[in-house]
Amino acid sequence: MARWIAIGRAPGWDDLKRFGEELKETPQWRIDPKTTVTSVYALADGRMIAECHGVAQADFEAWLQKKGWTVESITPIRHLAKSGDIWKA
């Protein structure tokens, strides 16, 4: 399954309470049965990073738009290493 990283800004998400409200419940992460946002990071400079895996990048783009993100970039992930496990995305 393909994976992407998005970098951008989400208004209000620098506030921990708002960040939690946007992402606390599982349905906020599950775009559809085959597409999931797996991680969201709030960076100290105000930008956000989100990772998604799924079938179509367009589904991730729609999620970002629904959440109000101003997207700087969406980039496909080629390789991935997590806690010592390495695999091709």
Side-chain angles (χ1 to χ4, degrees):
M1 203 160 297
R3 292 177 179 256
W4 305 271
I5 290 285
I7 300 173
R9 297 183 184 275
W13 285 30
D14 56 337
D15 175 68
L16 185 57
K17 183 178 178 188
R18 171 80 187 274
F19 186 77
E21 289 170 357
E22 291 287 346
L23 298 171
K24 187 174 182 175
E25 303 298 325
T26 301
Q28 301 294 340
W29 297 84
R30 190 66 126 169
I31 296 170
D32 64 38
K34 294 184 178 183
T35 307
T36 302
V37 175
T38 58
S39 303
V40 177
Y41 301 93
L43 304 178
D45 66 2
R47 292 182 303 155
M48 309 293 293
I49 296 176
E51 178 184 350
C52 176
H53 69 261
V55 178
Q57 181 176 323
D59 297 330
F60 185 33
E61 291 170 353
W63 182 87
L64 293 164
Q65 184 176 13
K66 178 181 172 188
K67 291 293 190 179
W69 279 50
T70 301
V71 177
E72 294 175 15
S73 66
I74 299 177
T75 306
I77 297 170
R78 183 176 299 161
H79 304 295
L80 181 65
K82 242 179 186 175
S83 301
D85 292 327
I86 300 172
W87 63 91
K88 184 174 181 168

